[in-house]
Amino acid sequence: MTRLDSALRATRHQKQWFADLRAEVAAGAPLALVNADAPQEIFRAMGIPYVVNQWWASIITAKRLGEDHLRRLRAHGYPDDSEQYNALPLGDVLEPDPTSAPWGGLPRPTIVLAETTGDASRKVFDIWGEQPGTTFYALESAAENAVPERWWELMPHRWEEAIGSDRLDLLVGELEGLIRFLETTTGRVFSETRFREVMDLVNEQEEWNRRTRDLIAAARPCPLEVTDGIPSVMVPQWHRGTRWGVEAAKAFHDEVAARVAAGTGVGVDERARLMFIGRGLWFDLDFYRRFQESHGAVFVWSMYLAIAADGYLRYGDDPLRALAARFACFSDQLYTPPWSVEWYVKEARHHGIDGVVHLVSDDPRGGFFTTRGLEAAGFPVLELRADNVDARTADPDALDRRVAEWLDDVVLPRAAARR
Amino acid sequence: MGALDELTALAADRTAAAREWAAAGRPVAGYVGADVPVEVLTAAGFLPVRLTGDPDAPSDPGDRYLGRGLDPVARSVLTRLLDGAYGRLDALVVSHDCEASLRLFYAVRELHRTDPGIGLPPAHLVDVLHLPHRTTTRYVLAKIRQLRAQVERWSGAAVTDDALATAVATHDRVRALLERVAALRRSRPARLTGTQALAVVAATTALPPDRAAELLEALLAEADALPEHGGTRVFLTGSSHDHPAVYAALEGAGLLVVGEDHDWGDLLHHRRVDPPADPALLELALAERYQHNGPAAAAASIRQRAAHTAAAAAACGAEALVSYVRVHDDAPRWDFPAQRATTGLPAVLVDHQPYGRVDLDALAGLRPRGAAA
């Protein structure tokens, strides 16, 4: 099938944007390196260019430079089998190699912003903070006893009730400190009216993503390949808070809507609808397409569009508190039972899923409750064990064989019986 | 029996005091992690018992619920909770001292929801965080108040300010005594081995604090009669040790662990609450003590860890630095290059170690000639 124009446009935009960013930084602008789940909207409002650490890691991996970057970490005494997703970009800092750096290379950031999730990820950012001219601004990663029911319904407006005031007070305080720090160190101004505009644009963009997610959930056949969906939603996601981001999300929606109206699928007889739970398999993106021809099995769901649809919308009169509410529980939404488990089940039902491929990395998040919750709701689940950016952790042939057998033995018979 | 023997026995049989306590009709609270403000539990009439894993027992149920990508200590603790290995627990308080503890709490919370007959005690997370900022202090204060309200619900009675002040004073006394005991292993010659010191600290986390203080005082009183110990003096960094097996193996191979920077050892007691005179500030003082305690590997920056390790290793008169890192305990490996550079001592990293085991071959360069492997 032909690729989505929105995916191609997103990739083109990203290259031009990165070239412009390099020029801007070369001319003296500050640069922020931010974690994916950190409140980037502050930088947007202040006009400080930023690069998302995990996006850059995905570029390194897609260029097949991941193993080389891990080798550079190892050469400096750091582990090469811990926090690979967060740590890859460090390879360039510890051992710069302009000849191999993708897209001309990442300029040296002046500030790094990340939450202290897990035991080791903050260490990665500590190392960034040791580099001359770079400051690491750390945010806490707080946790709560209470669990909201059906958080995806509460979040847009009733986020205070869903998240709890203590976590929001904490993050609001940290963001106020961040704003003062940036005002002081960059000389740039934080305008409340500009910030409100950014927050409005983000909500507008995510509303388009919500409509697109709902279109895809209802469409038969699935109108796009998930590998097109990921850049179509994620590149604009990294540009959220801009008019371009809103227009890109709308264009993505309109393109999907046109395909749905025309009954366009991915070019195969769709016999099974699959869900992929976990981070993107950046070292083997073809994985998502491999079972279309052979089995009529189409990945219709990945977390990227779905979390854009349900995880970001935050309305309210206090924009800084609303921004805190976007990120104070971000990892709960994706990785903490029962928040994540109930959401995956809801999404599987919404999309008419026939089977779930669940990527379980060798990390602390585990996958038991997610798998059990989906199975209890009637969805067959195949757990695959691999790291999403580290090709060394997976034997592609073995992965393919397991998926093929599972499709033949479990998913396709079940899907045929349901249709 | 001397105080050292008694403390060592209590470290091995960690439910002994809890059985007596419960037999008298008093509640026992199991807790996970050194970030649990035990003063609040003591003030509410609970006996706080810090939960340990067991490297010699299978951990299949814990592995099943938590996955095998998590520190095996947490998997073992969950297994033992499910097996009822801790005896009767009226409550479980889990801290966010590391990712494994947090995941353990989430699993317990979820099992309560999905398998209510599974027999786990009621659980509460106390989310003590550690960034050195005022915003974090305010948050930790809120979490201490939340814990206080929770134990009041559990016990059905208010935790009075007087009871909290008394509990703070008692636990601070234990910490001060542990500091004096730690000096016995730092002296030349050492009067305690690292293994013995580890057992003493562990015993105090399974005893009523006033009883712990009595035994520590008795140990200090008999200190001059304790035998002398030799060996290559090493400072141990890396993972924590809730079990003596690794210490025993290291010391059996001719090393003497004269200090460490994990919270089953020196990090547990080196900071006290030292409450201000105004009783209205007691909760705040507790919050600041727990926020700034450490620096533990999972919660501190590389720079904080390196500075602390270097200072502590020097204070112990260590001749070498050993970083022992358990499998799936990722933070210490990131700390090691800076710790090695900052201490300036001969240093060895032994990583990916199974729970309760150590590859002594990796330490060959540090061991005295002729020492047993």
Side-chain angles (χ1 to χ4, degrees), chain A residues 181-201:
Chain A
F181 174 80
L182 293 173
E183 289 169 333
T184 306
T185 57
T186 70
R188 304 215 173 187
V189 170
F190 180 86
S191 153
E192 179 95 5
T193 51
R194 169 73 184 129
F195 180 54
R196 285 174 180 269
E197 187 180 296
V198 166
M199 290 296 286
D200 289 345
L201 286 166

Side-chain angles (χ1 to χ4, degrees), chain A residues 217 220 272-277 300-301 340-358 367-383 406-407 410-412 414-415 418-419:
Chain A
R220 304 290 185 281
R273 296 167 63 79
L274 301 180
M275 181 178 200
F276 185 86
I277 294 184
V300 304
W301 192 97
S340 52
V341 181
E342 293 181 341
W343 181 63
Y344 290 132
V345 169
K346 183 271 286 191
E347 284 293 285
R349 289 185 176 134
H350 189 38
H351 287 72
I353 292 297
D354 297 306
V356 181
V357 175
H358 182 189
F368 173 82
F369 293 107
T370 295
T371 295
R372 189 174 75 165
L374 285 158
E375 287 179 342
F379 299 100
V381 180
L382 176 69
E383 287 191 354
W406 173 70
L407 290 171
V410 179
V411 176
L412 289 173
R414 179 182 177 279
R418 291 174 70 204
R419 281 175 174 81

Side-chain angles (χ1 to χ4, degrees), chain B residues 64-108:
Chain B
R64 175 169 177 248
Y65 293 124
L66 292 170
R68 295 180 62 85
L70 198 70
D71 189 334
V73 174
R75 294 186 260 144
S76 178
V77 169
L78 180 57
T79 301
R80 302 187 80 205
L81 275 168
L82 292 163
D83 289 347
Y86 302 115
R88 182 185 130 190
L89 294 179
D90 299 281
L92 172 66
V93 181
V94 183
S95 69
H96 186 175
D97 63 330
C98 63
E99 185 69 8
S101 296
L102 184 63
R103 289 281 150 191
L104 168 64
F105 169 75
Y106 289 152
V108 169

